[in-house]
Amino acid sequence: MLVGTPRGFADMLRYGWDMDPEQAFLARDDDGTAVGLLVVSLPTYDNTNHVWFDLSVHPDHRDGTVAAALIEYVEQLGRDNGRTMIGYGGFDLPEAIALAEKHGYEQKAIEVNRRQDLTGLDWSVVQSVYDEAVAASTAYELVTLTGALPDDMLDGMIAVTASINDAPKDDLDIEDDVYSTERLRAYEEAQAKSDHTIHRVVAREKATGALAGHTVIAVERERPHIGHQHDTAVSREHRGHRLGALLKSAMLLELRDAEPALSQVDTWNAESNDHMIGINEQLNYKIVARILAYQKAV
């Protein structure tokens, strides 16, 4: 899985994904040596009864004591903030599974990290996917954008962005994400302050001008060879025209010129999201890691 940088970690604590930053807590032993790290998210836009956390423990201190102390801390933090559901993700490894079971967490979903190697990409395949999708979506046109959305597209993008709620949630006890113009602008602000360049391709219905779908990739300026797939969604009333394939293949063709240093793009999907996974695999995404998502009521 992709390892972050100190600067990227600091930006996450300052700005988060959309100006809703996470918190971090460092565990030290009696000598002051760092032995564990707890990263906590208390959502404020939606799912405000939830806490999500990740934890890391130094290899020399993995007897379960440090992990137990961190889990106890985050559960109490949740109670103190009126949260009733605690969730976290652990690698699909025996140690992580055992830790979850020991502390009463129930597996609810499987998330898969896939990576696209652009250096080994067969661009003729990308072009073929694009050409076939264009033929199936003649009622639509594409708009390519870099950076912030223009004001006249902002309202229309709320419903398009909210279409991500139709992606599989499996057994996770979560509400739909809630979007607004303020949250879309907050996302753009957080990405800009984190020195990420946002690239968008938006599908628009020719006859009505209605925005139908979008795909978003953010490229790190600190490491311009690394891109992150942030979103791909098509509004329900516009599905069945291969817009997902159109958007993703068009994005790759755009990035080939716009980001010449870009060599890899990471994406995350629920393992059960067969439709999007099919498109990703057609475009040469390969599995890097599997994360098991757990929840526990407190």
Side-chain angles (χ1 to χ4, degrees):
M1 200 166 76
L2 185 65
V3 176
T5 67
R7 177 185 174 186
F9 185 73
D11 286 340
M12 179 267 298
L13 296 180
R14 293 187 183 104
Y15 314 119
W17 174 271
D18 48 13
M19 302 306 292
D20 190 15
E22 297 180 348
Q23 304 174 44
F25 303 89
L26 192 63
R28 301 180 184 272
D29 64 13
D30 293 337
D31 297 326
T33 302
V35 297
L37 176 68
L38 180 69
V39 179
V40 181
S41 172
L42 289 90
T44 61
Y45 290 111
D46 44 52
N47 288 284
T48 54
N49 65 318
H50 283 235
V51 178
W52 292 93
F53 74 91
D54 291 308
L55 64 83
S56 304
V57 178
H58 191 282
D60 294 341
H61 297 271
R62 291 180 179 169
D63 62 356
T65 304
V66 174
L70 291 173
I71 291 174
E72 180 181 357
Y73 185 88
V74 72
E75 290 180 358
Q76 187 58 50
L77 182 68
R79 295 187 189 96
D80 292 344
N81 284 272
R83 308 289 170 126
T84 58
M85 183 66 68
I86 314 288
Y88 88 103
F91 285 107
D92 186 9
L93 296 171
E95 297 85 354
I97 294 170
L99 180 68
E101 293 176 349
K102 177 180 179 181
H103 292 278
Y105 285 80
E106 183 179 355
Q107 182 185 323
K108 297 288 189 175
I110 301 173
E111 293 283 331
V112 181
N113 175 200
R114 285 177 170 80
R115 179 170 298 159
Q116 186 178 56
D117 176 9
L118 274 71
T119 63
L121 188 58
D122 185 343
W123 288 98
S124 68
V125 172
V126 179
Q127 189 66 52
S128 177
V129 171
Y130 175 78
D131 292 342
E132 291 173 4
V134 166
S137 58
T138 55
Y140 297 86
E141 61 186 358
L142 296 180
V143 180
T144 301
L145 303 165
T146 300
L149 288 164
D151 290 340
D152 62 356
M153 292 180 68
L154 196 59
D155 287 340
M157 284 304 300
I158 295 174
V160 171
T161 307
S163 298
I164 197 66
N165 287 314
D166 288 341
K169 297 180 177 69
D170 297 333
D171 295 324
L172 286 169
D173 182 2
I174 55 175
E175 302 169 352
D176 284 350
D177 293 337
V178 177
Y179 293 97
S180 63
T181 55
E182 292 79 13
R183 188 174 186 180
L184 296 187
R185 287 300 191 214
Y187 162 74
E188 294 172 343
E189 180 183 358
Q191 298 305 312
K193 287 182 173 178
S194 300
D195 207 15
H196 295 170
T197 300
I198 302 172
H199 295 277
R200 285 187 176 93
V201 180
V202 180
R204 183 165 59 194
E205 190 173 34
K206 295 176 183 177
T208 65
L211 303 184
H214 75 150
T215 190
V216 185
I217 286 180
V219 178
E220 299 183 18
R221 298 275 60 95
E222 181 185 11
R223 300 181 294 181
H225 65 288
I226 292 175
H228 305 269
Q229 178 76 66
H230 279 189
D231 196 6
T232 301
V234 175
S235 295
R236 195 174 301 173
E237 62 270 26
H238 296 284
R239 292 171 190 165
H241 303 281
R242 299 215 61 199
L243 291 181
L246 176 68
L247 290 162
K248 297 203 71 162
S249 56
M251 173 66 83
L252 287 174
L253 294 171
E254 170 67 20
L255 290 177
R256 181 172 56 176
D257 297 325
E259 295 282 357
L262 186 65
S263 62
Q264 68 179 64
V265 177
D266 276 34
T267 188
W268 291 85
N269 300 103
E271 191 174 57
S272 58
N273 193 346
D274 294 334
H275 176 71
M276 191 55 65
I277 288 170
I279 296 173
N280 286 339
E281 291 184 343
Q282 194 175 8
L283 293 172
N284 202 40
Y285 280 88
K286 307 295 183 184
I287 292 177
V288 174
R290 296 172 80 247
I291 300 291
L292 307 182
Y294 295 92
Q295 288 185 308
K296 175 183 177 179
V298 295

